[in-house]
């Protein structure tokens, strides 16, 4: 991590200094053997736009793997299964993850075949590049790494645990703009509150995510 990146991260408020998570960046352009420093080329067989060429990307990955042979290589692309909370939890146990962010129209398929362990989409829409997708995945994984969240209990009652969306939550004041919080929440009967929250979670899931509700 160079000084400039470190400063940038400090400015963005990302704590990378305590050793729980380390983030580094590699630029495939630093690895290109092209005399014009190119990392892209026209698609063969037709198609609009450019693709990331195999050589700079493969050499970047080979360099990473020579130092960290267990690196788990992930490519962010809309042409993949959707990234889920289960993936975030699973990947939080990996020691080293490489998130490849594609640019242009994507990357040469042979890189995926040769080096990529998993591919993920973050949704059915097209981003200009994979960077934002990588950042989303990085954040979702990081908060499942032990010690990153102040309170590990907050991981247990979150949306997508048991395929359910989380029940509505409230804080002070008890009445705000004439709206009261659900009165049962105030009565202190925890088993009753747990039952009620499960019922509300089921309602929310059925309404917003019928696809998830079918799994419950
Ligand atoms: N790159 C471009 N669009 C993407 C998406 N929806 N998910 C992951 N990577 C992407």
């Amino acid at each position: 991590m160079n000084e400039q990146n470190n400063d940038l991260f400090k400015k963005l408020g990302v704590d990378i200094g305590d050793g729980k998570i380390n983030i580094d960046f590699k630029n495939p352009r630093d690895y290109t053997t092209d005399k014009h420093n190119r990392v892209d080329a026209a698609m063969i067989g037709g198609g609009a736009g450019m693709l990331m060429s195999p050589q700079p990307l493969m050499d970047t990955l080979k360099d990473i793997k020579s130092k960290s042979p267990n690196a788990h290589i992930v490519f962010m692309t809309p042409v993949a299964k959707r990234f889920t909370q289960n993936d975030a939890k699973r990947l939080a146990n990996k020691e080293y993850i490489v998130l490849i962010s594609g640019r242009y129209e994507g990357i040469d398929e042979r890189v995926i075949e040769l080096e990529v362990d998993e591919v993920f989409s973050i949704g059915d829409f097209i981003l200009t590049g994979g960077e934002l997708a990588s950042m989303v995945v990085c954040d979702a994984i990081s908060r499942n790494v032990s010690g990153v969240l102040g309170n590990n209990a907050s991981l247990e009652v979150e949306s997508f645990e048991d395929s359910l969306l989380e029940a509505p939550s409230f804080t002070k004041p008890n009445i705000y703009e004439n709206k009261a919080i659900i009165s049962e929440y105030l009565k202190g009967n925890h088993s009753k509150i747990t039952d009620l929250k499960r019922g509300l979670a089921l309602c929310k899931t059925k309404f917003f995510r019928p696809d998830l509700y079918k799994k419950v």
Side-chain angles (χ1 to χ4, degrees):
M1 173 79 48
N2 66 33
E3 203 88 316
Q4 218 178 350
N5 278 337
N6 232 339
D7 278 356
L8 181 64
F9 267 107
K10 276 185 199 144
K11 273 188 207 136
L12 291 172
V14 179
D15 182 9
I16 56 163
D18 64 1
K20 290 190 183 90
I21 293 167
N22 291 292
I23 300 174
D24 200 357
F25 298 94
K26 294 276 180 210
N27 185 351
R29 206 177 290 282
D30 297 336
Y31 291 82
T32 183
T33 52
D34 180 80
K35 61 176 186 280
H36 303 295
N37 257 0
R38 293 199 74 115
V39 291
D40 63 331
M43 282 195 236
I44 297 176
M50 308 293 275
L51 268 193
M52 288 178 75
S53 320
Q55 178 275 317
L57 211 43
M58 285 296 285
D59 285 357
T60 310
L61 295 172
K62 280 180 191 156
D63 183 28
I64 293 170
K65 283 209 145 169
S66 70
K67 291 161 195 149
S68 309
N70 293 332
H72 188 71
I73 315 283
V74 173
F75 173 51
M76 301 309 302
T77 166
V79 189
K81 69 179 182 331
R82 191 88 55 88
F83 181 77
T84 66
Q85 182 68 7
N86 279 341
D87 296 314
K89 281 190 193 166
R90 179 172 53 82
L91 293 177
N93 296 314
K94 299 268 180 210
E95 192 194 340
Y96 199 130
I97 300 172
V98 177
L99 295 167
I100 305 175
S101 312
R103 270 272 149 179
Y104 316 109
E105 289 304 310
I107 70 178
D108 187 296
E109 192 72 19
R110 289 164 294 183
V111 178
I112 303 176
E113 280 170 23
L114 289 167
E115 284 294 351
V116 171
D117 297 307
E118 281 190 89
V119 288
F120 287 120
S121 163
I122 62 160
D124 294 343
F125 45 81
I126 311 291
L127 299 165
T128 315
E131 296 87 345
L132 286 173
S134 292
M135 285 166 76
V136 166
V137 164
C138 181
D139 183 275
I141 295 170
S142 301
R143 62 199 297 289
N144 284 284
V145 170
S146 172
V148 165
L149 290 189
N151 178 5
N152 270 346
S154 34
L155 287 174
E156 283 160 24
V157 287
E158 281 182 330
S159 287
F160 306 113
E161 290 302 320
D162 301 331
S163 297
L164 278 182
L165 301 185
E166 204 177 331
S169 309
F170 302 92
T171 182
K172 287 190 285 189
N174 292 355
I175 298 178
Y176 181 72
E177 299 218 349
N178 259 344
K179 286 197 171 291
I181 76 173
I182 297 168
S183 58
E184 208 60 50
Y185 279 28
L186 293 167
K187 293 185 189 157
N189 183 336
H190 291 292
S191 77
K192 232 177 169 181
I193 295 173
T194 305
D195 286 350
L196 176 63
K197 282 193 170 178
R198 179 153 176 97
L200 292 170
L202 282 164
C203 284
K204 273 209 158 182
T205 311
K206 190 173 183 183
F207 186 76
F208 288 116
R209 293 291 304 274
D211 57 318
L212 281 182
Y213 185 74
K214 274 192 219 144
K215 291 189 203 163
V216 181

